[in-house]
Amino acid sequence: MFNLPDLPYDYSALEPYIDAETMRVHHDKHHAAYVKNLNTVLEKYPEIARKELLDLITHLDELPEEIKTKVKNQAGGVLNHNLFWEFMSPEKSAPDEKLLTALTSVFSGVDSFREQFSAAAAGFFGSGWVWLVFDHGQLKITATANQDSPYSIGQTPLLGFDVWEHAYYLKYQNRRPEYISAWWNIVNWAEVSSRFLAAQTSGR
Ligand code: MN
């Protein structure tokens, strides 16, 4: 059985950048549905249902063929959203020195990183996610379609941005670029920094 984690802050904590109603629908309806659907898919597979989420996502190829795609979609949806709430915070923060150095060396600075990440998010076609990942020692901006997880292809997500319309449509409608620029105000750089440190330590 997989559970829906509580938000790490109030529904209204990220206002005015993300409104309480969007957070409520996003967490209580969309995220909750992925959890519910995953549990339903695994009802007849109690041994698989006992695995850790990360274990499922990193070993999709080991799953029975008839549930592989469903687990990829639903477990991906659960895990991506578990991470997404942690990637945001009402507390202002900044990249720590190690991350700052790395972003500067790979992307020519934090501003330039932000521009490249934003361009990837603005240009992404359809539903999916844009990521900063740690890929075998390399920092990269990537994107995945639907609820696919970077973990499934051996990458560790350090930051992820939900570009599904359900993440912004109530407040921003079709103005995705406005949602993107607002979002930078609530990025949890402390979390990104500590994930970067952990990824460097484990080497992936
Ligand atoms: Mn979402």
Side-chain angles (χ1 to χ4, degrees):
M1 275 288 281
F2 294 91
N3 297 306
L4 177 68
D6 290 334
L7 279 182
Y9 31 71
D10 290 342
Y11 293 105
S12 61
L14 305 178
E15 290 195 348
Y17 309 109
I18 299 181
D19 59 294
E21 187 56 19
T22 296
M23 290 301 289
R24 205 176 287 279
V25 173
H26 202 171
H27 176 269
D28 296 5
K29 305 290 180 192
H30 291 279
H31 192 184
Y34 291 117
V35 174
K36 183 168 179 278
N37 293 339
L38 178 61
N39 287 326
T40 304
V41 170
L42 294 178
E43 253 167 14
K44 290 186 193 137
Y45 303 85
E47 278 152 48
I48 300 174
R50 272 196 294 274
K51 291 189 175 191
E52 297 288 331
L53 201 51
L54 197 55
D55 190 21
L56 279 184
I57 286 291
T58 48
H59 299 100
L60 289 172
D61 50 326
E62 293 169 14
L63 294 169
E65 203 56 48
E66 66 270 19
I67 57 167
K68 202 174 281 186
T69 302
K70 285 177 182 164
V71 172
K72 177 175 77 136
N73 292 337
Q74 305 303 332
V78 177
L79 183 57
N80 289 342
H81 288 90
N82 288 356
L83 292 171
F84 188 51
W85 314 132
E86 302 290 340
F87 290 145
M88 302 184 288
S89 171
E91 310 293 331
K92 284 271 171 219
S93 61
D96 72 4
E97 219 170 294
K98 274 191 173 176
L99 180 60
L100 192 62
T101 304
L103 290 175
T104 302
S105 114
V106 178
F107 303 104
S108 315
V110 180
D111 288 348
S112 168
F113 161 70
R114 226 181 342 237
E115 279 163 28
Q116 292 175 49
F117 190 102
S118 296
F124 187 82
F125 185 77
S127 296
W129 294 75
V130 173
W131 307 94
L132 172 68
V133 298
F134 193 72
D135 181 9
H136 299 88
Q138 291 282 328
L139 284 180
K140 292 177 184 168
I141 295 169
T142 64
T144 58
N146 305 312
Q147 294 296 356
D148 293 0
S149 165
Y151 282 118
S152 299
I153 50 170
Q155 302 172 336
T156 301
L158 306 182
L159 177 64
F161 181 63
D162 192 342
V163 290
W164 283 61
E165 283 185 345
H166 71 224
Y168 64 91
Y169 209 82
L170 282 180
K171 181 176 171 73
Y172 295 100
Q173 290 89 47
N174 61 329
R175 303 185 305 280
R176 190 193 282 182
E178 266 182 52
Y179 161 58
I180 297 167
S181 50
W183 184 72
W184 290 110
N185 291 287
I186 44 172
V187 166
N188 185 352
W189 284 109
E191 175 70 17
V192 183
S193 301
S194 79
R195 292 181 67 85
F196 180 52
L197 183 66
Q200 279 187 314
T201 309
S202 72
R204 59 175 300 253

